[in-house]
């Protein structure tokens, strides 16, 4: 079994942040400096360990979360390189569940971007230790002192440099341990001032150290390990490191920070495990002890054409070996671990065991799925992680195979792709007989189409993006239908009376049985509810799901011979449709939060364009000098191909991110248009 020393030698770090911050190049530089690769790869040449997917090489950007690892000075670091696009949050957010530390990477040339703000917020919500890595410090014209001020304005005064750039970013000076104050001066501030600010911030969490500091004037940094880890856990300190992945400046110092400052599995905040369901769920603590029973978590699923299905896991407690018998969640039958792999990009390196703090993979176990908890004790079957709140996928695309007869194959491939990405959803719309894929944006769906064609050789036709409208009611109403059918033999008979009323937005659906005296036999009530739900799924006004509705079934009739489930399903569907039509129905459209980063000179054009798209600007935020971020809300339907429009307004310098906010009623003219289009389809 693993010793405490072995577990204490583990570090887990996720590189997160905006696109073009240089996360992949930084990962390459760390691998190289640690001796894990002979030379750092290049994103432009497609030679990085991280971006090994052919689609990533083609796009020159990360699209997947990739696992890497290296051992340096007897410390094994598991690194996750995540994509920075807002459309790839299904890959980057789960990485936060697998690590002790979230490293937010910021491009020195572009400053604090919206994605950096969002990832910092998510990491804080999940109580990860956080550090900020300022990359590209050698870029021409950067003002690193102003950038530190910008970081502190965005994230708080607890963000403090642990090293400082010198000689215009050619080297980096340590400010915490070695105190590099004999060489060339830093480009701003001083080593002594930065050291003093760090020590004062750390000792604040421990009253005894505060007293010593006030009496002695300083504290030996080697004595500050425990309060330093406490400050990181509590978010009382967020270190800032400076690097240039291109030149290697600051990379050895960053390795030093990872090994000496960042937490091991026993020092970070524990994962948010819960036992039980709903309101009865109670928090439980996973202990990073190799001798206890196993608790591990599947945070990533891959479907490799050669290896098959593979679950990537973080071990939180216990030890997993190649012969371990593990349960998946509340599954009653365990599976045997045949092979255990460490991942180095696309390379699988078989290992004999995994201890708390290790990230590894298990292949060819069909029961594995995203968010599953693996354990080796049957009594742990009700343990699960507190769910991540993912953005709602609201960009839709109707999709069908080019070749007739490939419908089932397309369906099977889509299910595999959805299993890899929690932010991809697939729906079959019965009213239009369409398969609709929902994602977070245009890039998300375009990547899906590229994967279908290039990886799975599945050619498809697509139709214009389908917005995830919803239908609801604004008044109470009643509905009734008698279904009677006689065909010579046994007939069909079912009669349903129901009333509906609106529920608050976001409540969903509530079904109530108030039938008295057995007017509808109890065994037929599930059929009645099924009919109501089918009608709601198919829609009434424009073919979109009905939401936020309470349905009370209060009366009906049955026949001792002719009543069947199908009769009550049909009667309930038609009664619900009649009730909705009488309840002043309205269509709801998804409203999204929009953050647009662009040059200050273009703000007038951007806000005017947003207004023409029914958008509402709520404010602006100053970024780097001459650049602003516009904060707004707008209907998703108005943002189709928005990046193209933004490029024309800003000369290609604008970027935007969106996140689902809420649903609002559509304007009357749009409701009329959508309803008439649906009517034409029905008649056709």
């Amino acid at each position: 079994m693993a010793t405490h020393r072995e577990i204490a030698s583990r570090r887990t770090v996720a590189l997160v942040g905006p696109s073009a911050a240089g996360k992949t190049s930084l990962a390459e530089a760390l691998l190289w400096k640690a001796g894990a690769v002979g030379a750092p790869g290049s994103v432009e040449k497609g030679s990085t360990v991280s971006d090994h997917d052919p689609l990533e090489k083609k796009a020159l950007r990360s699209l997947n979360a990739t696992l890497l690892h290296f051992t340096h000075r007897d410390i094994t670091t598991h690194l996750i390189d995540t994509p920075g696009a807002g459309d790839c949050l299904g890959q980057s957010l789960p990485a936060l569940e697998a690590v002790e530390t979230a490293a937010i990477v910021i491009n020195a040339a572009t400053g604090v971007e919206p994605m950096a703000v969002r990832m910092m917020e998510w990491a804080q919500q999940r109580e990860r230790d956080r550090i900020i890595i300022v990359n590209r410090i050698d870029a021409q014209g950067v003002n690193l002192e102003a950038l530190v001020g910008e970081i502190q304005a965005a994230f708080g005064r607890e963000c403090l440099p642990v090293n400082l750039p010198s000689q215009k970013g050619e080297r980096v000076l340590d400010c915490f341990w070695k105190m590099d104050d004999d060489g060339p001066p830093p480009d701003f501030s001083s080593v002594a001032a930065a050291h003093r600010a760090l020590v004062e911030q750390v000792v604040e969490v421990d009253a005894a150290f505060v007293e010593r500091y006030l009496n002695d004037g300083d504290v030996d940094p080697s004595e500050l390990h425990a309060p330093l880890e406490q400050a990181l856990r509590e978010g009382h300190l967020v270190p800032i490191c400076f690097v240039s992945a291109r030149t290697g400046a600051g990379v050895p110092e960053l390795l030093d920070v990872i090994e000496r400052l960042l937490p091991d599995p026993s020092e970070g905040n524990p994962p948010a495990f819960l036992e039980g369901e709903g309101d009865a769920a109670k928090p439980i603590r996973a202990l990073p002890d190799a001798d206890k029973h196993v608790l591990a978590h599947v945070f990533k699923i891959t479907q490799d054409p050669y290896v098959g299905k593979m679950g990537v896991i973080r071990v939180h407690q216990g030890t997993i070996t190649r012969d371990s018998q593990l349960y998946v969640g509340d599954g009653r039958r365990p599976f045997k671990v045949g092979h255990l792999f460490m991942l180095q990009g696309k390379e699988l390196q078989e290992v004999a065991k995994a201890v708390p703090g290790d990230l590894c993979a298990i292949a060819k176990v069909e029961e594995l799925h995203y968010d599953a908890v693996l354990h080796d004790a049957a009594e742990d079957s009700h343990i699960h992680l507190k769910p991540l709140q993912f953005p709602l996928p609201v960009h839709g695309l109707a999709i069908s195979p080019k070749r007739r007869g490939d419908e089932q194959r397309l369906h099977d491939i889509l299910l595999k792709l959805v299993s890899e990405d929690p932010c991809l959803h697939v729906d079959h719309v019965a009213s239009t007989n369409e398969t609709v894929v929902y994602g977070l944006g245009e890039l998300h769906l375009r990547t899906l189409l590229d994967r279908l064609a290039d990886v799975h050789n599945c050619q498809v036709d697509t139709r214009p993006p389908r917005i995830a409208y919803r239908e609801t009611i604004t008044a109470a109403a009643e509905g009734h239908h008698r279904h009677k059918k006689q065909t010579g033999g046994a007939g069909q008979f079912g009669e349903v009376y129901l009333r509906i009323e609106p529920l608050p937005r976001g409540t969903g659906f509530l079904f109530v049985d108030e039938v008295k005296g057995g007017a509808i036999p109890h065994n037929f009530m599930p059929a009645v509810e099924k009919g109501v739900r089918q009608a709601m799924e198919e829609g009434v006004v424009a073919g979109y799901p009905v939401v936020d509705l309470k349905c009370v079934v209060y009366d009906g009739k049955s026949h001792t011979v002719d009543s069947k489930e199908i009769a009550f399903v049909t009667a309930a569907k038609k009664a619900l449709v009649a009730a909705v039509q009488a309840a002043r129905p309205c269509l709801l459209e998804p409203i999204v939060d929009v953050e647009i980063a662009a040059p200050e000179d273009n703000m007038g054009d951007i806000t005017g364009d947003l207004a023409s798209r029914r958008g509402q600007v709520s404010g602006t935020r100053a970024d780097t000098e001459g650049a602003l971020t516009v904060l707004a809300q707008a209907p998703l339907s108005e943002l189709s191909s928005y990046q193209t429009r933004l490029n024309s307004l800003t000369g290609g310098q604008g970027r935007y991110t969106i996140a689902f906010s809420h649903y609002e009623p559509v304007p009357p003219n749009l409701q009329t248009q959508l309803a008439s289009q649906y009517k034409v389809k029905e008649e056709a």
Side-chain angles (χ1 to χ4, degrees):
M1 285 295 180
T3 64
H4 174 73
R5 182 183 181 88
E6 189 176 359
I7 296 172
S9 69
R10 299 296 193 266
R11 304 289 184 271
T12 55
V13 183
L15 299 178
V16 298
S19 295
K23 298 183 294 297
T24 299
S25 298
L26 178 59
E28 290 293 314
L30 287 167
L31 290 174
W32 177 52
K33 288 293 183 184
V37 296
S42 163
V43 173
E44 291 75 17
K45 295 178 181 177
S47 58
T48 63
V49 178
S50 181
D51 289 353
H52 56 82
D53 188 308
L55 294 180
E56 293 177 312
K57 294 180 180 182
K58 179 180 175 182
L60 298 180
R61 67 192 304 169
S62 298
L63 300 172
N64 307 299
T66 303
L67 272 69
L68 311 162
H69 65 271
F70 55 83
T71 299
H72 183 250
R73 295 181 192 152
D74 296 325
I75 300 293
T76 297
T77 299
H78 294 279
L79 200 63
I80 307 179
D81 178 25
T82 69
D87 288 12
C88 298
L89 288 172
Q91 291 286 325
S92 55
L93 285 184
L96 297 178
E97 300 296 270
V99 298
E100 266 74 52
T101 304
I104 291 85
V105 184
I106 291 175
N107 185 342
T110 54
V112 178
E113 298 180 71
M115 185 52 67
V117 176
R118 292 173 73 181
M119 294 309 299
M120 181 69 88
E121 289 173 350
W122 273 310
Q124 186 174 15
Q125 289 169 9
R126 301 305 280 195
E127 296 186 328
R128 301 299 90 188
D129 287 21
R130 289 161 290 146
I131 105 173
I132 294 170
I133 302 174
V134 177
N135 190 19
R136 299 184 173 166
I137 58 173
D138 57 326
Q140 190 171 5
V142 298
N143 185 338
L144 297 177
E145 183 175 15
L147 179 56
V148 170
E150 183 186 342
I151 289 170
Q152 292 178 336
F155 305 130
R157 305 296 297 181
E158 62 270 22
C159 301
L160 295 172
V162 292
N163 50 46
L164 290 170
S166 177
Q167 297 177 309
K168 296 184 178 180
E170 290 185 7
R171 62 176 295 188
V172 166
L173 309 177
D174 173 49
C175 301
F176 191 60
W177 293 288
K178 296 194 295 287
M179 293 286 291
D180 295 332
D181 51 5
D182 296 330
D187 292 338
F188 65 91
S189 185
S190 71
V191 170
H195 175 79
R196 185 168 58 252
L198 283 167
V199 172
E200 289 176 354
Q201 191 75 6
V202 170
V203 299
E204 280 182 0
V205 302
D206 190 312
F209 276 108
V210 171
E211 188 173 347
R212 279 184 55 189
Y213 182 74
L214 292 175
N215 291 334
D216 301 342
D218 200 1
V219 178
D220 187 339
S222 63
E223 299 181 60
L224 290 177
H225 184 80
L228 177 63
E229 296 305 329
Q230 182 182 344
L232 290 171
R233 279 195 303 274
E234 296 175 356
H236 192 68
L237 173 64
V238 179
I240 303 174
C241 302
F242 293 90
V243 301
S244 169
R246 185 183 67 86
T247 66
V251 175
E253 289 78 9
L254 179 57
L255 276 176
D256 206 39
V257 167
I258 291 172
E259 292 156 6
R260 299 178 65 182
L261 184 151
L262 297 189
D264 66 40
S266 67
E267 294 169 331
N269 287 314
F273 278 114
L274 300 171
E275 185 171 20
E277 302 296 332
D279 295 336
K282 296 179 180 179
I284 66 166
R285 188 182 181 102
L287 299 174
D289 185 335
D291 297 326
K292 289 192 173 294
H293 53 91
V294 171
L295 281 178
H297 171 239
V298 179
F299 68 93
K300 179 178 171 66
I301 292 288
T302 65
Q303 299 275 2
D304 189 277
Y306 305 104
V307 180
K309 189 175 189 178
M310 189 162 61
V312 186
I313 66 173
R314 159 67 193 256
V315 181
H316 294 284
Q317 179 177 291
T319 301
I320 298 177
T321 66
R322 281 179 288 196
D323 296 322
S324 293
Q325 299 274 344
L326 298 179
Y327 296 90
V328 180
D330 57 3
R332 296 184 180 181
R333 295 181 60 185
F335 70 90
K336 182 178 179 180
V337 177
H339 299 278
L340 200 59
F341 300 104
M342 293 263 275
L343 299 178
Q344 190 74 299
K346 67 179 179 181
E347 300 297 328
L348 305 180
Q349 301 172 1
E350 190 159 3
V351 293
K353 67 178 181 179
V355 301
D358 276 337
L359 310 185
C360 56
I362 298 172
K364 297 180 180 178
V365 179
E366 286 305 312
E367 295 88 348
L368 293 181
H369 59 86
Y370 168 72
D371 224 19
V373 170
L374 305 185
H375 56 94
D376 60 358
E379 62 267 23
D380 291 338
S381 62
H382 296 295
I383 293 177
H384 58 95
L385 268 180
K386 181 181 178 181
L388 267 173
Q389 296 301 312
F390 288 102
L392 186 68
V394 286
H395 281 261
L397 196 64
I399 188 170
S400 60
K402 281 186 179 292
R403 192 170 61 186
R404 291 189 63 181
D406 273 0
E407 288 80 8
Q408 186 60 46
R409 179 168 177 262
L410 173 61
H411 176 74
D412 293 342
I413 295 171
L414 287 176
L415 289 183
K416 288 183 178 180
L417 296 176
V418 167
S419 74
E420 296 180 329
D421 191 336
C423 290
L424 270 179
H425 289 179
V426 175
D427 282 341
H428 181 73
V429 183
S431 58
T432 57
N433 195 29
E434 284 183 329
T435 296
V436 181
V437 183
Y438 290 101
L440 297 179
E442 297 170 33
L443 172 65
H444 202 189
L445 294 176
R446 189 167 66 247
T447 302
L448 173 96
L449 296 177
D450 289 343
R451 203 169 295 282
L452 281 170
D454 296 354
V455 178
H456 298 280
N457 194 27
C458 183
Q459 305 300 320
V460 297
D461 290 319
T462 61
R463 284 172 291 288
R466 180 181 172 89
I467 302 299
Y469 293 105
R470 295 291 182 262
E471 301 178 13
T472 193
I473 58 173
T474 59
E478 295 198 358
H480 158 250
H481 186 79
R482 172 184 288 189
H483 176 70
K484 186 175 181 181
K485 187 175 182 182
Q486 201 70 36
T487 56
Q492 294 181 12
F493 182 86
E495 188 168 6
V496 174
Y497 290 84
L498 55 78
R499 59 177 174 267
I500 59 174
E501 58 187 74
L503 292 176
R505 190 82 70 243
T507 305
F509 171 58
L510 180 62
F511 181 83
V512 181
D513 174 9
E514 289 187 359
V515 175
K516 302 289 194 299
I520 299 177
H522 183 70
N523 60 304
F524 286 128
M525 286 309 296
V528 174
E529 182 176 356
K530 180 179 179 181
V532 169
R533 289 184 178 274
Q534 283 184 3
M536 291 178 64
E537 289 171 6
E538 294 173 8
V540 177
V541 178
Y544 296 97
V546 181
V547 296
D548 304 333
L549 175 148
K550 178 182 178 181
C551 175
V552 179
V553 178
Y554 63 89
D555 201 2
K557 288 183 182 178
S558 65
H559 188 278
T560 54
V561 176
D562 291 346
S563 284
K564 299 177 177 63
E565 285 191 6
I566 184 62
F568 279 102
V569 169
T570 304
K573 283 180 67 173
K574 294 187 177 179
L576 193 282
V577 169
V580 169
Q581 289 172 338
R584 296 207 303 270
C586 78
L587 280 177
L588 303 173
E589 64 179 342
I591 305 298
V592 294
D593 292 319
V594 190
E595 292 191 10
I596 306 167
E600 187 175 359
D601 294 344
N602 301 125
M603 285 300 124
D605 293 336
I606 289 171
T607 55
D609 184 67
L610 279 173
S612 71
R613 297 170 182 267
R614 297 189 284 129
Q616 293 185 335
V617 175
S618 57
T620 58
R621 182 179 67 234
D623 292 336
T624 53
E625 186 176 347
L628 290 176
T629 292
V630 177
L631 309 176
Q633 287 190 333
L636 177 65
S637 60
E638 299 285 350
L639 296 179
S640 177
S641 303
Y642 184 64
Q643 186 62 56
T644 303
R645 176 61 177 158
L646 189 59
N647 288 343
S648 68
L649 292 174
T650 64
Q653 298 184 62
R655 300 176 305 283
Y656 82 103
T657 62
I658 65 170
F660 173 76
S661 174
H662 62 283
Y663 274 94
E664 279 186 6
V666 303
N669 62 325
L670 181 56
Q671 176 159 328
T672 301
Q673 177 187 339
L674 291 170
S676 62
Q677 290 173 353
Y678 178 62
K679 188 176 181 181
V680 169
K681 286 182 182 178
E682 275 195 315
E683 291 172 350

